[in-house]
Amino acid sequence: MTRVLVVPPRLDDDAFDALIAEAAEVGDERALIDARHVRWADPYGMVGLLALGETLRQGGNPPLLELPQASDVVSYLSRMGFVREAEAIFEMRSPPRPRGGRESSVLLEITRIQSHEDVHGVIDVLNESRISTILSEQLHYSRADAIGFSMLLSEVSQNIIEHADAPGWVGIQIYNWAKRLGRKVAVISVMDLGIGFKGSLAREHSARFGDRWSDSTALEAAFIHGITRFRDPGRGQGLKQIRKKVGRWGGKIAIRSGTAKIADVPEWDDAQPMETDLSPFPGAQILIVLPAKAESAPEGGAAPGRSAPRR
Amino acid sequence: MLPERKVAPLAIDLTLVHRRSITSLYSNLVTRPTGRAIRSGIESQIAEMEEERSLCLSILDFSQVRVLDYSCADEIVAKLLLRFQGADRPGEAFFVVRGLQEHHQEPIEEVLEHHDLLPAAEVEDRGFQLLGRADRQQRACWGTLLRLGRAAAPAVTERTGIVPDAATAVLSDLAERRVVVAYRDGTFCSLPSLLQE
């Protein structure tokens, strides 16, 4: 038997949550992920689809993937490196061959992160490409901001190596959120299928939380209080610095792990600072959205929003 | 306190150390393993220097570094300063950070504040200053010593208006934090002044 999971037309973080809720029903059946009607996709949606496919594949049945019917969407998925990564996970009917020779507008293709060398690779790719120019032209970032963007990406990608004990992916692209925000945004997605925040912190920290120990308390401990499994007093600062930088740029950061999601939510977004009882999914899924600065905006970016709750 | 002796400046170009310490060559200083490799390289150079002289001034030059993340800053700057600040330090090394640009300052300041460290640094367009969470008196004493080069507490008191006991205490604290050198004759010397000797 094959169970069909239909991908919504807009493949983003909401679609990912909907898909993994549906995937919970797959059981021993083979999954067919039907993405034929996808019209738009961001890095979180694409990387999420890869993560879902990998989880299903690890469950014993290689999933099938129907690529979007719209040729421009398939072309975009190819340029983003999604198709290349998907070929190792899904069974696909005649996946498109990559076409060379055209300068890509992709900020960072979906890239597998398995080691610290991969993090170096990502930072080198970003800095060898036109990152400063792209971020300056499209998001009105200064040169120092562009370097800060690389720092942020380095820290968030290292999170996979340091805490997940499993490989993951990172991808970045710039979109024009004309209706939603009236500005362009950079969408950064970093995901892994590792042990998750609860698993990472369990041995060192679960005891003092007692019955309260859960995905949400683990996320709070790491995200709000900088708690880490490492005893080194210099550790645990990465997430704090990422939050600080995202907040200063008026952006959003959300981390989903297990059955919970925690977020610093800017004024322009309507997400909840904490969500619980979500469909379980392994590892951690990080979404960062950085809006363009208003061309004459002072350092500090957009108005502050709602931070994840302190308990 | 340290006896009179000539300081041997040891300029450590972080890019060069980086290239020698690990196989892959990057001018972007990111990730903890990279930071650890660089720190290990610096410690080895200091150990070699200290075979000949017992006091070493190490310059950490960031002028060719593009991206520096928090993890790498923690491993290189914070852990190096912590190691040579403790009572069990492996040698008499002092550190001056040089070539800091705007984009380096944030990660370095963050790790310094986190560990309560106070290095002397030369910042692009601003000259030498104390980085980290220094209070008003510490900055005043250090800044005065920077202008005087080498002086005893009364000279610092005279120029800062800080009472003598307090000035002595602040200078001694700065010496413990390894941002000034305390000599046996009761004088103190700022690290940038040593660079000019």
Side-chain angles (χ1 to χ4, degrees):
Chain A
M1 288 287 286
T2 300
R3 181 176 287 257
V4 179
L5 306 178
V6 178
V7 183
R10 189 179 173 89
L11 179 54
D12 57 9
D13 51 327
D14 290 336
F16 174 71
D17 280 340
L19 277 169
I20 59 176
E22 271 194 71
E25 308 296 323
V26 168
D28 294 334
E29 296 175 87
R30 189 175 200 194
L32 165 61
I33 297 181
D34 180 1
R36 286 177 302 159
H37 303 293
V38 169
R39 289 295 308 153
W40 189 91
D42 72 9
Y44 193 95
M46 285 183 265
V47 174
L49 205 51
L50 293 173
L52 173 61
E54 180 65 21
T55 308
L56 293 167
R57 195 181 68 79
Q58 288 173 2
N61 282 322
L64 302 158
L65 175 64
E66 287 277 5
L67 285 168
Q69 287 172 333
S71 59
D72 58 336
V73 179
V74 174
S75 170
Y76 176 63
L77 295 183
S78 292
R79 292 200 308 277
M80 277 297 293
F82 171 84
V83 174
R84 181 195 62 228
E85 291 294 319
E87 280 186 289
I89 296 169
F90 296 98
E91 282 187 19
M92 292 187 288
R93 279 183 300 184
S94 36
R97 295 292 109 209
R99 279 184 270 172
R102 181 178 162 186
E103 189 178 338
S104 173
S105 61
V106 171
L107 196 53
L108 180 71
E109 282 184 15
I110 292 168
T111 306
R112 186 172 278 259
I113 303 286
Q114 298 182 95
S115 68
H116 287 98
E117 289 301 302
D118 294 329
V119 178
H120 277 281
V122 164
I123 301 305
D124 285 350
V125 165
L126 276 180
N127 285 282
E128 283 161 12
S129 67
R130 301 181 313 119
I131 179 173
S132 287
T133 310
I134 293 170
L135 291 174
S136 166
E137 287 176 355
Q138 304 209 34
L139 300 185
H140 314 304
Y141 278 28
S142 66
R143 178 176 173 270
D145 288 337
I147 293 173
F149 185 92
S150 292
M151 283 162 47
L152 183 150
L153 194 67
S154 168
E155 291 294 342
V156 80
S157 301
Q158 281 178 74
N159 204 62
I160 295 174
I161 313 297
E162 300 280 333
H163 302 284
D165 290 344
W169 298 269
V170 57
I172 313 173
Q173 184 57 310
I174 291 178
Y175 299 91
N176 189 0
W177 282 12
K179 284 183 187 168
R180 185 170 174 185
L181 188 60
R183 278 193 253 173
K184 288 187 176 177
V185 296
V187 177
I188 303 171
S189 172
V190 180
M191 291 194 190
D192 66 74
L193 292 171
I195 56 177
F197 279 70
K198 188 179 163 193
S200 176
L201 299 178
R203 203 173 74 177
E204 298 288 328
H205 301 287
S206 62
R208 64 193 164 92
F209 285 87
D211 292 344
R212 287 184 57 238
W213 182 243
S214 65
D215 287 313
S216 59
T217 48
L219 275 173
E220 273 182 6
F223 194 72
I224 310 278
H225 305 294
I227 288 173
T228 168
R229 64 174 156 167
F230 299 102
R231 290 185 177 169
D232 176 348
R235 305 298 285 260
Q237 295 303 298
L239 260 180
K240 178 185 161 194
Q241 301 310 329
I242 292 165
R243 288 182 68 201
K244 198 168 164 182
K245 199 167 270 301
V246 171
R248 193 190 307 153
W249 289 341
K252 169 184 178 177
I253 175 168
I255 304 181
R256 190 193 198 287
S257 186
T259 58
K261 188 192 282 186
I262 195 165
D264 282 338
V265 186
E267 204 176 48
W268 49 261
D269 195 79
D270 57 3
Q272 294 300 311
M274 173 64 87
E275 292 177 62
T276 55
D277 301 321
L278 303 172
S279 295
F281 197 72
Q285 298 79 46
I286 304 177
L287 170 68
I288 297 174
V289 181
L290 299 173
K293 293 184 174 182
E295 284 185 72
S296 58
E299 184 71 19
R306 289 161 292 145
S307 288
R310 261 178 198 283
R311 290 185 189 169
Chain B
M1 287 193 193
L2 299 167
E4 291 276 353
R5 60 189 151 198
K6 185 83 172 171
V7 174
L10 165 62
I12 297 175
D13 179 315
L14 288 176
T15 308
L16 292 178
V17 174
H18 189 188
R19 286 182 183 143
R20 268 192 264 162
S21 300
I22 59 173
T23 309
S24 308
L25 305 178
Y26 298 104
S27 61
N28 297 320
L29 299 187
V30 295
T31 78
R32 285 193 180 271
T34 297
R36 279 196 285 270
I38 291 169
R39 175 161 45 86
S40 170
I42 294 169
E43 287 177 354
S44 298
Q45 286 201 30
I46 290 170
E48 286 169 20
M49 290 289 292
E50 289 197 333
E51 284 174 8
E52 297 166 21
R53 297 165 196 269
S54 59
L55 175 62
C56 176
L57 182 62
S58 299
I59 302 157
L60 308 181
D61 188 349
F62 286 81
S63 55
Q64 299 302 312
V65 174
R66 183 175 162 82
V67 180
L68 173 70
D69 70 11
Y70 305 101
S71 301
C72 216
D74 188 64
E75 290 290 340
I76 299 172
V77 182
K79 291 218 166 82
L80 202 53
L81 294 178
L82 285 168
R83 182 153 164 73
F84 283 88
Q85 204 176 70
D88 60 344
R89 57 179 167 262
E92 292 297 340
F94 292 79
F95 297 91
V96 174
V97 179
R98 186 181 254 180
L100 281 193
Q101 298 161 57
E102 183 189 353
H103 56 275
H104 301 135
Q105 272 189 270
E106 185 180 327
I108 288 181
E109 288 277 13
E110 291 290 348
V111 301
L112 294 175
E113 288 190 12
H114 183 70
H115 294 281
D116 193 23
L117 293 165
L118 286 183
E122 187 180 33
V123 181
E124 191 179 47
D125 301 330
R126 296 213 303 254
F128 284 104
Q129 60 184 76
L130 267 186
L131 293 185
R133 201 181 287 150
D135 64 26
R136 197 176 54 79
Q137 286 197 336
Q138 285 171 322
R139 289 194 190 283
C141 289
W142 191 84
T144 301
L145 203 57
L146 180 64
R147 287 189 292 279
L148 295 175
R150 180 170 171 176
V156 173
T157 288
E158 193 180 305
R159 286 162 178 80
T160 59
I162 299 170
V163 295
D165 285 354
T168 303
V170 170
L171 288 168
S172 300
D173 176 58
L174 291 175
E176 273 186 31
R177 288 166 170 270
R178 318 279 290 169
V179 285
V180 306
V181 179
Y183 290 99
R184 284 180 179 159
D185 64 0
T187 59
F188 297 87
C189 186
S190 72
L191 299 184
S193 307
L194 291 178
L195 289 174
Q196 292 157 14
E197 280 185 6

